[in-house]
Amino acid sequence: MAERCSAGFLLMEPTAAMAMTLPAEVREKLAELELELSEGDITQKGYEKKRAKLLAPYIPQIQGVDPSLQIENRIQGSSQPAPAVSKQQKSRASNSRDERFRSDVHTEAVQAALAKYKERKMPMPSKRRSVLVQSSMEACTPPENHSAPPDVTTGLSQRSVHIERPQVASVRGVPRGLHNTTILETADGVPVNSRVSSKIQQLLNTLKRPKRPPLREFFLDDFEELLDVQQPDPNQPKPEGPAMSPLTGEPPGVVTNWPPSLLAAMQRWGTTQPKTPCLTALDNSGKPVYTLTYGKLWSRSVKLAYTLLNKLSTKNEPLLRPGDRVALVFPNNDPVMFMVAFYGCLLVELVPVPIEVPLTRKDAGSQQIGFLLGSCGVTLALTTDACQKGLPKAQTGEVVTFKGWPRLLWFVTDGKHLAKPPKDWHPLVRDASNDIAYIEYKTSKEDSTMGIAVSHSAMLAHCHALTQACGYAEAETITNVLDFKRDAGLWHGVLTSVMNRMHVISIPYSLMKVNPLSWIQKVHSYKARVAVVKSRDMHWSLLSQRDQRDISLSSLRMLIVADGANPWSISSCDAFLNVFQARGLRPEVICPCATSSEALTVAIRRPPEMGVPPPGKAVLSMTGLSHSVIRVDSEEKLSVLTVQDVGQVMPGALVCVVRVEGTPYLCKTDEVGEICVGSNTTGIAYYGLPGITKNIFETIPLTAAGVPLTDRHFTRTGLLGFVGPDKLVFVVGKMDGLMVVSGRRHNADDIVATALAVEPMKFVYRGR
């Protein structure tokens, strides 16, 4: 067979005998060309041209002879330069692929070739050395000031570089000092005695480097070279006390006549005490708009349960099944409808998921709520007629699908939309079980929303523990200023209140913005025994207390501060006591508490009639706290943090403090760590997230010897604190607000506390 080369000459295909007579270097070059062609590193035209140049000296020519391809001895006898590289060949070299785009397959082939030459212990052939100058190149190296040195370009990455042929003069007369004698190293580091140019050696060194730099090299900044890495101070404070012992709450009280479940309690009060007030809702002017009795709570919840179970289904199959999750979308000024919907879902074993009302179609916060609804598999949303009319609508008149939300069926729970159940239909009221009762949402510091599942048994046990810790009694009146859909507002104002047949006065947030004294006025008018507030509510009431004089807080036996764990709450409590002590408020009535979405109520200060130790305060060194060490300091200094206790742990609970990072070893007595609770009153899981559930809800604290503290699982609360004297719990921050700067720990709550400790109008300027 004949082959036509790119220059137009017809060459005969080498026979097997002729191929055996080819030099070894030529055969290896042919193999490399085949590899490059198969990998696509060169075109077919380039392959044919290079192959023709290699075979031209060894194959008989048919149509003329190309003078540039013949083997002559003119290299040793002439000083004429070789023909210059054509423009087309130069452009091909300049347009070759960049080093960044080398493929892994190509790199692997290069490494294989290098390994082959390493085994043979011979110099690696280079395309920079022409076959025509083989003998002379082994004898000498061109001078450094040669007119046509090798041109190493980016095309080297393709192993198909075209360079100019060197003009090799006679070795006679060349000064010895102009020879560049080096030792050639292959890419695998095998030294080979040879005289090569520095550029060839530089190329081989380049091949030694990895194809891509490590990922960290892409993120190196110049300032890191100037940044002084702070070494740990050998004089920094360190914990010195012994390992702490777990803190045990008082034994749970035994009450024989308590109902076996929360639904059984609602049924009991709804049938035996139907006229007793359960919940009073107020409008924006502070006037009562509706009082829900226990009889109405029971009958309306049963009516809603029957409708959900029988009227929201097709002929083939029901829309809802036991265990399905249902979204409760109710505004903050309608606690009555929310309470009916919540208990109506529980009666038919549906899992309510209370959420906030979406403001706009693309509200950023509602997108995270939509992710929660999607992960919970929610397909039905319950709401009121007034709330449904305020939601954005599509052109069809239906509620739009909010961004990030699953497609929902909206159902209005007003009485006119409910079906009356037959007289012989009664819901099945079961005892408390480990099935999920409700899901409460939580937003983390990364703005991700997670659903915390609470079982029926945990819900009942938590109501029992709150009843015992707060000394709740039947028919007491409680004023609730908190959000009734979640956290302490839900636990005290919707769940525990029903367990004890209490009357709740719900203060909407919209009323607090108009009249910050409204909750104090309702305590005075209803002679409320308990009030559940936040420190902000106490702070706001101080700003307008001069407008109201004829009020008395002497009826309060317990003022629960739900955010008592925040470091700034102590200033609000002290200021509120200084003003309202003259109006009947007793100092021992103020009861801060610490709560967690995962562990529910962690600790609460007991009311005075329960014979508990007096409240405590701790003046702590901020420097010590930044190293997670407790050091008592004097209150006169500016670099101190004064915190108040949050009371004792809950009845039947086991509490310990573990280290923040790494393995959950028990902290020392003078060390700050994360508070963990082992109890049957906590949440059970992040719904649909088994990975982080194990880390948070199944923690096993270890002693210094690495032995598990107990065989029970603990729940991480996300609260940073320690256990002080008289078994009082102190909280100094939260895990979500933890900041580590130069190896020292700070908390975002400290910034808020600092801003509230100064006069904002004088020291804190807008935009700073």
Side-chain angles (χ1 to χ4, degrees), residues 57-73:
Y58 307 101
I59 300 177
Q61 298 181 356
I62 305 302
Q63 297 178 359
V65 178
D66 184 2
S68 64
L69 299 179
Q70 290 182 351
I71 296 180
E72 296 179 357
N73 294 329

Side-chain angles (χ1 to χ4, degrees), residues 524-592:
H524 171 75
S525 59
Y526 284 94
K527 304 300 179 185
R529 300 283 289 161
V530 180
V532 187
V533 299
K534 285 189 175 181
S535 56
R536 67 155 190 224
D537 306 320
M538 305 169 71
H539 180 74
W540 287 354
S541 61
L542 295 175
L543 303 178
S544 57
Q545 55 89 17
R546 297 178 181 178
D547 302 335
Q548 189 73 28
R549 297 180 179 179
D550 300 330
I551 56 175
S552 174
L553 298 179
S554 59
S555 64
L556 279 179
R557 67 170 185 85
M558 196 174 189
L559 178 59
I560 301 176
V561 185
D563 62 342
N566 292 330
W568 66 80
S569 64
I570 184 172
S571 59
S572 298
C573 293
D574 291 345
F576 187 82
L577 178 62
N578 292 335
V579 172
F580 288 94
Q581 189 171 5
R583 302 186 183 185
L585 181 66
R586 293 172 292 164
E588 62 273 14
V589 164
I590 300 178
C591 298

Side-chain angles (χ1 to χ4, degrees), residues 319-320 325-327 329 355 361 366-367 369-382 392-411:
L319 177 65
L320 299 173
R325 279 71 57 196
V326 177
V329 187
I355 61 173
R361 183 173 184 177
S366 67
Q367 294 183 33
I369 295 292
F371 174 78
L372 170 66
L373 298 180
S375 62
C376 292
V378 174
T379 58
L380 177 68
L382 305 182
K393 305 291 191 304
Q395 295 181 353
T396 58
E398 299 179 351
V399 178
V400 298
T401 300
F402 296 95
K403 186 175 181 180
W405 284 41
R407 186 171 182 84
L408 299 177
L409 173 64
W410 293 82
F411 181 73

Side-chain angles (χ1 to χ4, degrees), residues 639-652:
S639 59
V640 296
L641 177 66
T642 303
V643 295
Q644 62 182 350
D645 70 280
V646 291
Q648 295 80 16
V649 301
M650 298 297 288

Side-chain angles (χ1 to χ4, degrees), residues 301-374:
S301 299
V302 170
K303 195 175 182 180
L304 176 60
Y306 176 78
T307 304
L308 294 176
L309 195 61
N310 296 278
K311 299 301 180 181
L312 293 183
S313 59
T314 61
K315 296 181 180 180
N316 297 330
E317 58 179 307
L319 177 65
L320 299 173
R321 297 180 181 275
D324 287 350
R325 279 71 57 196
V326 177
L328 304 187
V329 187
F330 292 87
N332 292 332
N333 59 355
D334 200 345
V336 173
M337 298 297 292
F338 171 82
M339 199 172 194
V340 171
F342 188 90
Y343 282 102
C345 290
L346 295 183
L347 283 175
V348 289
E349 301 181 35
L350 298 177
V351 180
V353 185
I355 61 173
E356 302 297 332
V357 178
L359 301 178
T360 61
R361 183 173 184 177
K362 297 183 179 180
D363 182 37
S366 67
Q367 294 183 33
Q368 296 296 332
I369 295 292
F371 174 78
L372 170 66
L373 298 180

Side-chain angles (χ1 to χ4, degrees), residues 425-495:
W425 189 88
H426 301 285
L428 181 61
V429 178
R430 302 177 182 272
D431 294 346
S433 65
N434 292 328
D435 295 335
I436 299 177
Y438 68 94
I439 296 177
E440 181 175 327
Y441 78 89
K442 173 195 174 181
T443 302
S444 66
K445 64 179 180 180
E446 295 88 5
D447 289 335
S448 59
T449 302
M450 299 172 290
I452 300 170
V454 180
S455 66
H456 284 272
S457 58
M459 180 176 62
L460 178 65
H462 189 227
C463 291
H464 289 173
L466 284 179
T467 300
Q468 181 176 343
C470 301
Y472 284 145
E474 292 183 13
E476 274 192 320
T477 301
I478 175 174
T479 302
N480 182 25
V481 192
L482 308 182
D483 184 5
F484 50 81
K485 298 189 295 294
R486 59 193 300 265
D487 210 79
L490 173 68
W491 308 332
H492 290 267
V494 177
L495 304 179

